[in-house]
Amino acid sequence: MTIKQAKSRILKLRKEITAEKKLAVKRTLAKAKTEAKRMSSGPLTPKDLRKRDHPYATRHGILGNVARMPGKSRAKINVGTGDFREHWGTDNPQAGDSIVSGRLYNLSPIADYLIHGTQTMTRRPIDDHMFNFVEVTALEEIGVAQSRLERIY
């Protein structure tokens, strides 16, 4: 193999690696958006929450009164009007020199209140849940991409 051929092969491999990274990020973001919508689709209505004495109220303590919500994750957001659930979005993967990145976000006006809490409502850790979900999913997708590249080369 000549130097020119080796250089050509390296450039081709670099492009394929970047394409696999982009695909892994794109697949991770798609799965993350699905999970975010699932986590924003809790079944309780405002009426249900009133019946349970507003379990996420700060008057119940920093964690809220989760005892009134058996088996429920504090990160699960009840659908309410659907505004929070419908405002999840992703950016297309962007490739730098060696990094491919993407973004999952929520543009709902109530996102900050849910994630940070308020004077009367406890913080809802959906951001922590999603960070962990993305981390695990990204590692799985990177493994899939690596397997595909190993089969090719």
Side-chain angles (χ1 to χ4, degrees):
M1 176 182 297
T2 67
I3 292 177
K4 186 176 180 179
Q5 289 170 326
K7 186 176 179 180
S8 175
R9 186 166 180 173
I10 289 169
L11 289 174
K12 181 181 177 194
L13 181 58
R14 181 184 259 166
K15 285 180 184 177
E16 288 178 14
I17 289 171
T18 299
E20 286 293 332
K21 285 187 204 176
K22 280 185 173 181
L23 181 60
V25 170
K26 187 175 184 174
R27 290 171 57 100
T28 297
L29 289 172
K31 290 178 180 180
K33 187 174 180 181
T34 298
E35 174 67 0
K37 286 189 172 230
R38 185 188 73 79
M39 288 298 292
S40 304
S41 298
L44 300 179
T45 65
K47 185 177 178 180
D48 294 328
L49 294 171
R50 274 192 303 279
K51 285 180 185 175
R52 290 173 169 84
D53 190 28
H54 295 284
Y56 303 109
T58 54
R59 69 177 176 272
H60 298 303
I62 193 163
L63 298 178
N65 191 352
V66 182
R68 293 181 185 271
M69 308 286 290
K72 300 289 183 199
S73 165
R74 285 181 50 247
K76 184 101 176 186
I77 308 298
N78 293 300
V79 73
T81 64
D83 180 76
F84 184 73
R85 180 182 60 195
E86 298 311 315
H87 276 86
W88 286 105
T90 60
D91 288 336
N92 286 326
Q94 301 295 316
D97 288 338
S98 61
I99 296 174
V100 175
S101 64
R103 186 172 69 121
L104 171 72
Y105 55 87
N106 190 298
L107 295 177
S108 171
I110 64 169
D112 279 345
Y113 302 129
L114 291 168
I115 291 170
H116 301 294
T118 67
Q119 195 171 17
T120 58
M121 184 180 73
T122 61
R123 174 186 184 281
R124 306 293 293 286
I126 191 166
D127 55 334
D128 296 338
H129 173 84
M130 291 311 305
F131 179 84
N132 292 332
F133 180 88
V134 166
E135 186 174 46
V136 169
T137 305
L139 288 173
E140 290 170 357
E141 291 298 332
I142 288 167
V144 169
Q146 183 176 350
S147 293
R148 276 196 299 266
L149 287 168
E150 287 172 352
R151 281 194 304 268
I152 294 170
Y153 294 94

